Amino acid sequence: MNNASLHQFSTLTVILLMLAFYGGTYLLTLGIRKKKEDADAFMVSNHRVGFGIGAASMTATWIWAASFYAAATSGYTYGVSGPIHYGLWGALMILFIYPFGRRFRKLAPDAHTLGELIHARHGSSSQLILALSNLMGSIISLMVNFTAAGALVSVLSPLSFQAGVIIAGVGVLLYTLWSGFRASVLTDFAQLVALMAIAVVIIPAVFFAMGGPSELVAGLDNLSAEQANFFSVDAVLNQGAPFFVAVLAYAIGNQTISQRLFAVKEEHIKPTFLTATIGYGAIVIGLGMIGLMALTLGIEPLNGDMNNLIPQMVSGYLPPLFIALFFILVIGSLSSTADSDLSALSAIMMADVYGKNIARGKANPERMLLVGRLTMIIATAVGIVFASFSLDILVMLVFVGALWGAIVFPVIASCFWDRVTNAAFTTSVIVAMLVFCVARFEWVPLSGITGLIFEILASIGGGVIIGLMAFGFLGRVVGFTAGILALLAMLIFATGFLRDYTVLLASLTAYGTSTLVCIAMSLTSREHFDFNSIRERVGNYDNHLDDGGAGNPANEPAPVSLATQR
């Protein structure tokens, strides 16, 4: 196996597989096309997505191409605890939007983006910070998924990397362009059914082809002490803890999640997000077990590239039919996320940029649709171009992750505390980003008193994360108590060595810094915001509400004022 090459399909076979997938997906969306699409349906399906479709869409969106490769890499690198650290914390990113999501929907039941709520609460500067972070995150996600498509096509066929990127980009755009979010959630359901059906076949097939449980147990001797330890400190500090820190950042900062929050019927928010949490965790942990199995058998990744691990295992142990199913599995996973990114980007440009800042609350719905579709076309082109260059996007991911971490406390506090000001929100995020960069890129030595200061800030950040999580589910008193206890534990056990784990230190520092600045500036303000005013400032953009976006508008939509449209 170590010297084996990957199975390759003919050019015709791969083209037929991709045409079958994207052609079938496109035909599926024809059934929901409307002669005159409306802006609210295009962005959030008129807030009427049901439980089954919503849960499936959330799960399919969160299982992207990186989930396959990173989960297997985690199992291969960290051993028995690796798949758990990747799958469990990723699943919690979905779960933890739920308690805060209820508050978001209560404040702005007709919102399309979280940015609209923040605009109603603070104004343009805070909203645009949130919008910018989502634009960057979704563009990067598009690049990653198109890159994964190119890599898969290039290793399993004679076609070039660039050909795979272009086919995937054009395919996703074609079935998403007309109906937007409605097309995304509908195809997500079909894609998830296919993903689960194929995963149920592929994962056990690889597992038993490699020898099954007996070989897994026998191969445990090949693991190091840390890899064999389910509570490995190395796995916790290098993967588990950074992922845990990212839970709230992704839950609050990612528009693909918040878009589904505003699209699902309000009474279905809880079961939708709980179901998606379980579905994502089960599938991704199962994929991670393939990497663990490769580790126990002493298999080396082909050409030293960890991204070849799963294709290598599938190619080496399964017949061509299963390899074709695996090909569809990966294409489906990356496409379900890519179409969600296009929908998220279009909603941000339609609502946050055009609706709130250009039209200033008097948006023309038809013009909004044009903005949304142009955004999809431009974003696809940008994603294809940058993916074709195979650029290193890790630095950009670092900045987006830090920005999302820096906005968590200001966003949540703004929705619960009436004294948070626009200046407090904006300043806290900017200062937190600067401090993050100082720590992450070690612009000052992380030693002595400087290192201790950053560890104290990081300890505050750790307390904030635990406190907010407890607050979301158990209330203010429990959240405050949990946060203080976590802070004390961090100060006792983390100071002196946390500086050796730069990524974790910097991420926690972003949380701690933004919290301190936001609280300090808010306490000096005399503002007492009326949360009831948000509902009056955020509304639908069309003059009609239909049955989930299935009908046609009766009249030509005219410019409307959101303040009076409810």
Side-chain angles (χ1 to χ4, degrees), residues 473-546:
F473 284 102
L474 302 172
R476 185 174 303 176
V477 174
V478 175
F480 184 78
T481 304
I484 293 296
L485 292 175
L487 169 60
L488 293 175
M490 289 281 290
L491 290 173
I492 294 171
F493 298 108
T495 52
F497 84 93
L498 191 59
R499 66 193 67 179
D500 296 329
Y501 298 89
T502 309
V503 174
L504 179 58
L505 175 73
S507 299
L508 288 171
T509 298
Y511 276 92
T513 303
S514 66
T515 300
L516 287 177
V517 175
C518 186
I519 290 176
M521 293 186 67
S522 298
L523 288 174
T524 62
S525 76
R526 295 183 179 181
E527 175 179 307
H528 290 282
F529 182 78
D530 180 10
F531 286 110
N532 291 325
S533 66
I534 294 178
R535 181 184 290 259
E536 300 171 4
R537 299 175 184 177
V538 180
N540 292 296
Y541 289 92
D542 290 276
N543 287 319
H544 66 281
L545 285 177
D546 54 32

Side-chain angles (χ1 to χ4, degrees), residues 10-63:
S10 67
T11 299
L12 179 61
T13 300
V14 167
I15 290 176
L16 289 176
L17 285 172
M18 297 191 79
L19 283 177
F21 176 82
Y22 287 117
T25 308
Y26 175 76
L27 291 174
L28 187 63
T29 63
L30 291 180
I32 61 169
R33 275 198 175 186
K34 299 192 300 181
K35 229 176 181 182
K36 282 184 177 285
E37 190 72 63
D38 62 81
D40 297 307
F42 192 87
M43 288 189 283
V44 288
S45 293
N46 299 119
H47 316 282
R48 296 182 182 182
V49 173
F51 161 61
I53 294 288
S57 178
M58 188 67 260
T59 306
T61 295
W62 212 233
I63 299 176

